[in-house]
Amino acid sequence: MRKIWVTGLVLAFILLFTSFAFAKVEKAVVKSIDFERYGTETLVRITVELASDGSGEAYLEAIANYDGRDYTTQPLPMSCSTPQQTFSFLLRKSDFHLVNLVEGVNQELPEFVEEKSVVVYIYGKKITSFEEWQTEDVRGEISKRGYALREVLAKGTKTLTWGKKGK
């Protein structure tokens, strides 16, 4: 009888563990990207909706262009604990950086430029070691930025246009 109980406990643990091990965000939607003014500062408000099978993690990365160069945010984690969750982020220009660890570059975005877009990506995976995903492009990104993002779940774009409707 004890052997059956132990076997049942082990099976229950395996089923529970594997459901969490394979839990992931199934769907992501960039609901809105809005520009706001706070005094003289421009802010970007991003709202994202995630659907998961009960748990999982996704990462938001926003990109702003200035003078032909892309300034990105650090990957902003979103952890799901329910089947559907909404996340909201308020970003300043100081959250956007041009980073190249190989060249020792880490510059803050000088300003948001009117008629330029902010692009938002939602990723399903953040890779921080070469062993997790052994490809040259991942190695290059980890060397350059300290991480690589994969599995695009959603994308949104909005152009900064004061007084006019943006894309």
Side-chain angles (χ1 to χ4, degrees):
M1 187 64 156
R2 183 171 186 188
K3 189 175 183 178
I4 294 172
W5 184 81
V6 170
T7 304
L9 185 62
V10 169
L11 285 174
F13 177 76
I14 289 171
L15 288 173
L16 182 65
F17 175 73
T18 56
S19 67
F20 285 111
F22 296 112
K24 67 177 193 169
V25 173
E26 296 170 339
K27 183 179 176 187
V29 177
V30 177
K31 296 298 269 185
S32 65
I33 304 169
D34 297 306
F35 296 99
E36 301 174 7
R37 285 194 174 138
Y38 185 75
T40 59
E41 187 174 21
T42 300
L43 305 173
V44 181
R45 182 176 304 277
I46 301 167
T47 304
V48 175
E49 190 174 276
L50 300 180
S52 72
D53 55 5
S55 65
E57 192 165 56
Y59 301 88
L60 180 144
E61 181 181 58
I63 304 167
N65 189 282
Y66 180 85
D67 201 24
R69 301 167 115 189
D70 287 337
Y71 291 75
T72 63
T73 62
Q74 286 291 314
L76 303 170
M78 298 174 284
S79 295
C80 288
S81 57
T82 61
Q84 190 162 341
Q85 282 186 257
T86 301
F87 297 86
S88 185
F89 298 91
L90 188 61
L91 305 174
R92 295 174 148 70
K93 71 177 186 77
S94 61
D95 292 318
F96 293 80
H97 288 263
L98 176 65
V99 176
N100 187 328
L101 300 175
V102 175
E103 297 175 7
V105 175
N106 187 352
Q107 299 172 349
E108 183 180 305
L109 175 67
E111 66 180 303
F112 289 108
V113 179
E114 188 148 8
E115 301 298 326
K116 292 285 186 179
S117 297
V118 169
V119 181
V120 174
Y121 288 96
I122 308 300
Y123 292 94
K125 187 165 185 72
K126 178 182 174 186
I127 305 163
T128 57
S129 83
F130 300 125
E131 291 79 33
E132 288 180 59
W133 201 308
Q134 298 180 2
T135 63
E136 281 304 310
D137 61 325
V138 168
R139 287 180 186 272
E141 283 184 54
I142 291 173
S143 295
K144 184 177 175 181
R145 302 189 323 167
Y147 60 88
L149 298 170
R150 291 294 179 272
E151 299 176 9
V152 175
L153 301 172
K155 178 183 176 185
T157 303
K158 179 83 176 244
T159 302
L160 174 59
T161 53
W162 294 120
K164 301 180 242 171
K165 276 200 162 191
K167 294 189 218 178

